[in-house]
């Protein structure tokens, strides 16, 4: 079978996401794709400041060894680690960098963990881990898990728990409040900036001496991940756009994201920041416009697209974030679940009740199965999956019904560009074939 366009794009991404060290400026280096997230080193007069720490201990050790070839321990101990936000892929490698000698200062905003820790307080970590594991594709074989869009394939022991900033991390002991704070350490003059974006606790680091800007996950080479399908609270697009505008105003010569390659050249950096903000603002504005016109979420995702001149940019491809998921998140975050159809205010049929009526309508379960198989053969995997859902509502353990859904999901996944959605679909298909229900997996 020929590879889909989505597969070819993600394979190209995978080939780019190979571990390497990039010198950004005279005293700044960044380790790209060695770990799930980038780790940056700023060399000061008598020590190092790191921006983020990666996630996996043996990867962090490899990064530290590479840094030590440039900045030996006897002259440049690690004086501080700055977390751009609380996700575990940016914090989990910290014990390696803290183990050399005296523990460095660990800096973060005072809202550190504001996105992920509520899941723990609500008792939702089993759901969070299960959905996170599917999104990451941690149970998939290598041939089905090409990359994660903005990061290489890794198989962390923590699995779906990596999205909690507490997983294996040395927690921050220094915090800053407000919009900004100067930080003078190791002879370096840095500025910490509050830049809420992918997470509400996000910060950026500005190194004016060499005009290098570290933006964490406020920007990377993909359309932004406004709604991760593992689940999250609202990601505030107006705040995110304001943060990008603030970063644009700095006039950086180099931009170091939390994932993927740095951007170089003041004019190019300005263009990237402006286009990224414009893309987010466009999706937000068009969604609001459609909502005011009375459109439902299902209608909006058909209508709201990036303009062609933005959609064609490599750093706005939907390999990690997804425009349609963003549209749904905007709708739900502003007006909630009600889509405006009064039918949905009434007590609805359960999935099983609706499936019984659908089966009766077409002439029984066998006919429904036949129609599902026909749809799959004809290339309509979405409809095949929908019919399979009706069948599974009637008999969730039925082998043929599970196989139909799994086969349909495999087709949908193969043609899905957004890596996390692709991983999720392949993972559920694998679970169906293995006889693992979604409920038992979550437990």
């Amino acid at each position: 079978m020929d590879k889909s366009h989505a597969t070819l794009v993600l394979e190209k991404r995978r080939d780019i996401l190979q571990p390497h060290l990039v010198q950004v400026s005279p005293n700044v280096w960044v380790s790209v794709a060695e770990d799930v997230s980038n780790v940056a080193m700023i060399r000061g007069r008598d020590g190092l400041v790191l921006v983020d720490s990666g996630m996996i201990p043996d990867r962090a050790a490899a990064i530290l060894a590479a840094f030590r070839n440039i900045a030996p321990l006897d002259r440049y101990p690690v004086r501080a680690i700055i977390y751009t936000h609380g996700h575990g892929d940016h914090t989990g490698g910290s014990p390696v960098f803290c183990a050399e000698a005296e523990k460095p200062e660990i800096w973060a905003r005072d809202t550190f963990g504001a996105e992920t820790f509520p899941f723990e307080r609500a008792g939702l970590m089993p759901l969070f881990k299960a959905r996170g594991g599917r999104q990451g594709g941690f149970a998939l074989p290598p041939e089905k898990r090409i990359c994660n869009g903005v990061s290489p394939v890794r198989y962390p022991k923590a699995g779906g728990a990596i999205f909690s900033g507490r997983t294996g991390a040395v927690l921050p002991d220094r915090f800053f409040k407000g919009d900004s704070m100067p930080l003078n350490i190791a002879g370096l003059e840095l500025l910490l900036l509050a830049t809420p974006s992918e997470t509400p606790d996000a910060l950026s680091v500005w190194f004016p001496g060499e005009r290098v800007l570290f933006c964490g996950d406020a920007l990377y080479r993909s359309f932004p991940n406004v709604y991760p399908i593992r689940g999250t609270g609202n990601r505030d697009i107006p705040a995110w756009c304001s943060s990008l505008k603030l970063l644009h105003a700095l006039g950086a010569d180099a931009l170091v994201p939390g994932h993927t390659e740095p951007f170089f050249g003041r004019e190019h950096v300005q263009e990237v920041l402006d286009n990224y903000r414009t893309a987010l603002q466009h999706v937000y504005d068009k969604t609001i416009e459609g909502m005011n016109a009375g459109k439902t979420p299902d209608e909006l995702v058909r209508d709201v697209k990036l303009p062609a001149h933005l959609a064609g940019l490599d750093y706005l491809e939907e390999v990690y974030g997804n425009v349609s998921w963003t549209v749904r998140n905007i709708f739900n975050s502003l007006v909630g679940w009600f889509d405006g159809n009064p039918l949905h205010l009434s007590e609805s049929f359960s999935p099983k009740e609706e499936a019984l009526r659908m089966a009766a309508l077409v002439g029984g379960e066998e006919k429904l199965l036949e129609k599902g198989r026909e749809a799959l053969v004809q290339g309509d995997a979405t409809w095949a999956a929908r019919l399979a859902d009706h069948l599974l509502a009637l008999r969730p353990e039925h082998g043929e019904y599970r196989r139909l859904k799994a086969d349909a999901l495999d087709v949908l996944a193969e043609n899905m560009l957004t890596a996390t959605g692709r991983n999720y679909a392949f993972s559920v298909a694998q679970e169906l074939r293995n006889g693992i229900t979604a409920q038992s997996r979550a437990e």
Side-chain angles (χ1 to χ4, degrees):
M1 183 179 70
D2 292 339
K3 293 179 180 179
S4 67
H5 170 72
T7 296
L8 294 172
V9 170
L10 290 172
E11 286 182 344
K12 183 179 179 181
R13 281 287 177 125
R14 177 194 60 198
D15 295 341
I16 293 170
L17 290 167
Q18 298 300 316
H20 60 289
L21 195 64
V22 178
Q23 184 168 8
V24 178
S25 66
N27 288 290
V28 174
W29 288 260
V30 58
S31 176
V32 179
E34 180 70 54
D35 207 330
V36 175
S37 67
N38 293 343
V39 180
M41 175 182 76
I42 311 172
R43 184 176 61 188
R45 183 180 58 247
D46 60 356
L48 305 178
V49 174
L50 305 183
V51 180
D52 288 330
S53 68
M55 175 181 67
I56 303 173
D58 63 344
R59 298 288 177 173
I63 293 169
L64 180 59
F67 286 168
R68 285 297 171 220
N69 287 331
I70 299 163
L73 174 60
D74 60 345
R75 292 182 58 195
Y76 301 103
V78 176
R79 301 290 187 189
I81 302 173
I82 303 170
Y83 292 151
T84 61
H85 60 292
H87 283 170
D89 58 323
H90 294 254
T91 64
S94 52
V96 172
F97 298 104
C98 291
E100 284 188 325
E102 184 177 348
K103 178 180 173 293
E105 298 176 2
I106 311 291
W107 282 91
R109 283 183 61 203
D110 63 337
T111 53
F112 179 79
E115 181 187 67
T116 55
F117 295 166
F119 282 89
E120 298 178 46
R121 290 195 293 270
L124 282 170
M125 285 309 293
L127 172 68
F128 195 55
K129 291 176 182 178
R131 288 175 58 149
R134 294 185 189 116
Q135 169 186 302
F138 298 137
L140 292 176
E143 65 271 16
K144 286 191 174 180
R145 188 179 177 221
I146 301 172
C147 71
N148 280 349
V150 295
S151 60
V153 167
R154 298 286 182 260
Y155 288 90
K157 293 179 181 178
I162 68 165
F163 302 101
S164 169
R166 299 182 184 182
T167 304
V170 178
L171 293 179
D173 55 8
R174 304 286 197 283
F175 299 92
F176 88 91
K177 298 180 180 181
D179 295 332
S180 65
M181 190 196 79
L183 179 62
N184 298 305
I185 192 164
L188 296 165
E189 294 186 2
L190 306 173
L191 184 65
L192 306 184
L193 299 163
T195 50
S197 44
E198 189 180 273
T199 60
D201 64 349
L203 66 81
S204 296
V205 182
W206 173 228
F207 179 24
E210 296 182 8
R211 304 201 67 78
V212 179
L213 176 59
F214 307 85
C215 65
D217 285 2
L219 183 151
Y220 31 66
R221 293 177 187 268
S222 168
F223 184 81
N225 193 21
V226 177
Y227 179 73
I229 53 176
R230 59 173 165 78
T232 188
N234 178 47
R235 290 180 168 176
D236 189 334
I237 292 178
W240 199 331
C241 289
S242 294
S243 295
L244 292 167
K245 187 175 182 180
L246 171 66
L247 298 179
H248 184 276
L250 294 171
D253 289 340
L255 178 66
V256 180
H259 302 268
T260 67
E261 290 287 321
F263 298 87
F264 293 98
R266 187 175 305 183
E267 184 177 340
H268 182 52
V269 168
Q270 295 290 85
E271 179 182 66
V272 168
L273 285 164
D274 187 55
N275 284 336
Y276 214 73
R277 181 184 59 80
T278 300
L280 260 179
Q281 192 69 56
H282 173 85
V283 172
Y284 186 83
D285 290 345
K286 288 297 180 181
T287 302
I288 298 298
E289 180 183 306
M291 289 170 67
N292 283 325
K295 293 182 179 179
T296 68
D298 288 341
E299 292 170 324
L300 288 166
V301 298
R302 298 285 182 179
D303 296 342
V304 178
K305 309 292 180 185
L306 285 181
H309 74 283
L310 295 176
L313 298 171
D314 76 292
Y315 54 85
L316 283 170
E317 282 188 303
E318 295 176 60
V319 294
Y320 188 54
N322 183 289
V323 171
S324 66
W325 304 349
T326 300
V327 169
R328 292 186 186 279
N329 194 62
I330 293 167
F331 189 103
N332 190 66
S333 68
L334 293 175
V335 300
W337 61 266
F338 180 48
D339 63 1
N341 184 344
L343 173 63
H344 299 153
L345 298 176
S346 303
E347 184 176 345
S348 62
F349 299 118
S350 71
K352 185 172 183 179
E353 289 169 337
E354 186 166 330
L356 284 167
R357 291 169 183 251
M358 179 65 74
L361 192 64
V362 299
E365 286 182 43
E366 283 298 319
K367 195 67 176 178
L368 199 57
L369 177 61
E370 178 186 328
K371 291 294 183 183
R373 287 170 171 166
E374 286 177 3
L376 192 57
V377 169
Q378 293 166 3
D380 193 351
T382 301
W383 186 237
R386 181 67 62 86
L387 296 180
D389 279 345
H390 288 307
L391 291 164
L392 289 168
L394 298 172
R395 303 180 194 275
E397 302 303 323
H398 193 290
E400 286 301 307
Y401 300 170
R402 296 167 71 88
R403 190 172 297 111
L404 174 62
K405 178 67 179 287
D407 289 346
L409 288 177
D410 278 346
V411 174
L412 292 173
E414 171 66 24
N415 290 282
M416 191 176 297
L417 180 60
T418 308
T420 53
R422 179 188 182 98
N423 289 340
Y424 205 105
F426 272 138
S427 295
V428 173
Q430 180 171 280
E431 291 170 8
L432 284 165
R433 291 196 177 92
N434 291 343
I436 304 172
T437 67
Q439 182 61 36
S440 66
R441 183 70 172 173
E443 292 171 354

